Amino acid sequence: MSRVYNFSAGPAMLPEPVLEQVREELLDWRGTGMSVMEMSHRGKAFVAIAEEAEAELRALAGIPEHYEVLFLQGGASLQFAMVPLNLLRGKGKADYVNTGSWSTKAIKEARRFCEVNVAASSEASRFTTIPPQAEWRLDPDAAYVHYTPNETIGGVEFHWVPDTGDVPLVADMSSTILSRPLEVERFGLIYAGAQKNIGPAGLTLVIVREDLVGHAGPGVPSMLDYRTHAEAGSMANTPPTFAWYVAGLVFKWIRDQGGLAAMAERNRRKAEKLYAFIDGSDFYHNPVDPACRSWMNVPFTLARPELDGAFLEGAAEAGLSTLKGHRSVGGMRASLYNAMPEAGVDALIDYMAEFERRHG
Ligand SMILES: *Cc1c(COP(=O)(O)O)cnc(C)c1O
């Protein structure tokens, strides 16, 4: 067996100790004689797994009692609809900040349900910057303000949390959650698909302030109503049990690493190392304003794009996998989520330097 450094944007690399524990427990979870995959979600064993995962997450991220933690399905993409369906509370309009592909998708979906005010957009800079809050035109009557703290495709990240006063702040944290400490109380709602920094695909995490639950309109399907899931402990129907279990192991692994502050320090170091290398080279280029470069997703291009294929082939031979950029932007993208060890970034930089020596 040989494992590669997997730079995929999602589904992404998982911590090796977590995979090893999964393998260890796969056929017989702690003497139950069955796999977690085969357990009733209402049985004692799985209920304990589920509760422990939630408790770990609450401790890790400092989630206060008056926030619900929901383990849902449908991906972050379903939250693009569930957020307006639940949070409009009769208001009919919401503010959105557009910083790239994922915000654009969230806006498009929200427009099916309400009037969207694009309070700020970095489209004019081809989404390589983040508009400072002083330039945002927020509507005081908006039901909520939605933004994307990390744009997975453009590699643009907020290194600050917007201040929206009494208007609830909603964040699509799919590709940055748990990468650094989280001030949950600054947010009305946080959502994230699990497959980047939490665990396997199929699980979507929603952290929502209690008072924002229970306002879905009459036509909203019950399975799209946060209240249904909050009241049922995320077991209104069969939840993604295996993904939930693995997420719990990942939360424990993060705690063993020293928690979110330690993750942040490591993530910053990894990203800074790679950006410093790119900036010091005439062969590689990252287009993003240094003040808002992502710690999680680092897009870069080669001075000679005709060498993209050779670059990827050589990388794969060196055990560096899935560096191809998103189909909408081309070039390369290295995703450096929590599970990517520093040695993986070092190996990538060594390979890039060697490739430049041969072709630059
Ligand atoms: C990956 C991603 C999504 C889409 O997630 P799905 O779980 O596939 O729906 C949405 N927003 C961001 C920021 C993402 O990175």
Side-chain angles (χ1 to χ4, degrees):
M1 188 201 65
S2 82
R3 285 184 49 82
V4 296
Y5 291 119
N6 178 4
F7 294 91
S8 169
M13 212 169 163
L14 285 164
E16 212 162 281
V18 167
L19 293 176
E20 275 163 3
Q21 188 173 345
V22 169
R23 177 174 61 187
E24 200 62 32
E25 299 178 332
L26 190 64
L27 273 75
D28 175 8
W29 188 82
R30 301 189 196 170
T32 53
M34 60 178 85
S35 171
V36 175
M37 272 184 273
E38 304 167 300
M39 284 177 185
S40 162
H41 57 296
R42 311 223 181 260
K44 223 163 93 181
F46 186 76
V47 168
I49 289 170
E51 284 174 354
E52 205 179 310
E54 181 177 335
E56 279 285 349
L57 177 65
R58 281 185 180 274
L60 203 55
I63 302 173
E65 288 263 341
H66 63 291
Y67 281 75
E68 301 278 358
V69 176
L70 308 177
F71 293 81
L72 307 180
Q73 301 181 62
S77 301
L78 185 57
Q79 294 309 309
F80 294 166
M82 280 179 76
V83 165
L85 285 171
N86 285 270
L87 263 51
L88 283 171
R89 294 162 292 146
K91 287 194 191 252
K93 53 183 180 175
D95 282 339
Y96 277 71
V97 176
N98 191 1
T99 50
S101 307
W102 288 113
S103 331
T104 302
K105 284 202 174 172
I107 289 167
K108 188 166 174 235
E109 187 72 358
R111 286 207 163 112
R112 299 166 59 91
F113 307 104
C114 65
E115 186 188 316
V116 170
N117 170 44
V118 178
S121 170
S122 53
E123 195 168 6
S125 77
R126 309 178 105 239
F127 297 125
T128 56
T129 58
I130 284 172
Q133 178 154 1
E135 289 171 17
W136 296 15
R137 290 181 312 275
L138 294 174
D139 178 346
D141 295 325
Y144 58 87
V145 180
H146 179 284
Y147 82 118
T148 309
N150 185 67
E151 287 283 357
T152 322
I153 295 173
V156 175
E157 184 163 13
F158 283 75
H159 296 289
W160 46 281
V161 177
D163 181 0
T164 55
D166 290 337
V167 180
L169 180 62
V170 176
D172 173 1
M173 286 204 188
S174 295
S175 52
T176 184
I177 193 164
L178 306 183
S179 68
R180 60 175 77 198
L182 188 57
E183 291 176 87
V184 175
E185 279 175 294
R186 308 269 309 259
F187 300 88
L189 187 147
I190 292 165
Y191 63 91
Q195 67 275 19
K196 283 140 191 175
N197 233 354
I198 295 173
L203 171 70
T204 311
L205 204 66
V206 172
I207 301 167
V208 55
R209 212 172 63 208
E210 240 167 34
D211 62 288
L212 295 173
V213 175
H215 304 284
V220 174
S222 56
M223 290 304 287
L224 300 186
D225 182 344
Y226 292 130
R227 171 151 55 186
T228 304
H229 300 289
E231 285 177 353
S234 302
M235 295 201 194
N237 70 330
T238 316
T241 49
F242 194 72
W244 191 333
Y245 151 72
V246 180
L249 299 182
V250 171
F251 300 151
K252 251 192 227 110
W253 174 80
I254 295 175
R255 177 162 55 112
D256 291 345
Q257 303 299 299
L260 298 187
M263 284 329 309
E265 201 175 305
R266 187 191 299 177
N267 287 327
R268 175 206 288 275
R269 221 171 28 234
K270 279 158 33 187
E272 280 179 354
K273 215 188 270 192
L274 183 52
Y275 286 119
F277 171 77
I278 291 171
D279 288 345
S281 138
D282 294 326
F283 187 73
Y284 301 103
H285 176 69
N286 168 278
V288 178
D289 172 1
C292 47
R293 283 173 164 175
S294 170
W295 291 359
M296 297 283 100
N297 312 96
V298 182
F300 61 92
T301 51
L302 276 51
R304 295 169 57 197
E306 71 274 15
L307 293 175
D308 281 3
F311 179 90
L312 289 166
E313 237 167 76
E317 275 164 27
L320 308 168
S321 168
T322 330
L323 283 161
K324 195 176 160 90
H326 190 269
R327 58 188 188 279
S328 64
V329 292
M332 307 298 155
R333 172 176 50 174
S335 294
L336 314 177
Y337 300 120
N338 286 345
M340 174 60 66
E342 268 185 274
V345 179
D346 293 338
L348 173 61
I349 291 172
D350 287 348
Y351 170 71
M352 288 169 72
E354 171 62 23
F355 189 87
E356 179 178 353
R357 263 193 299 277
R358 276 191 284 126
H359 301 279

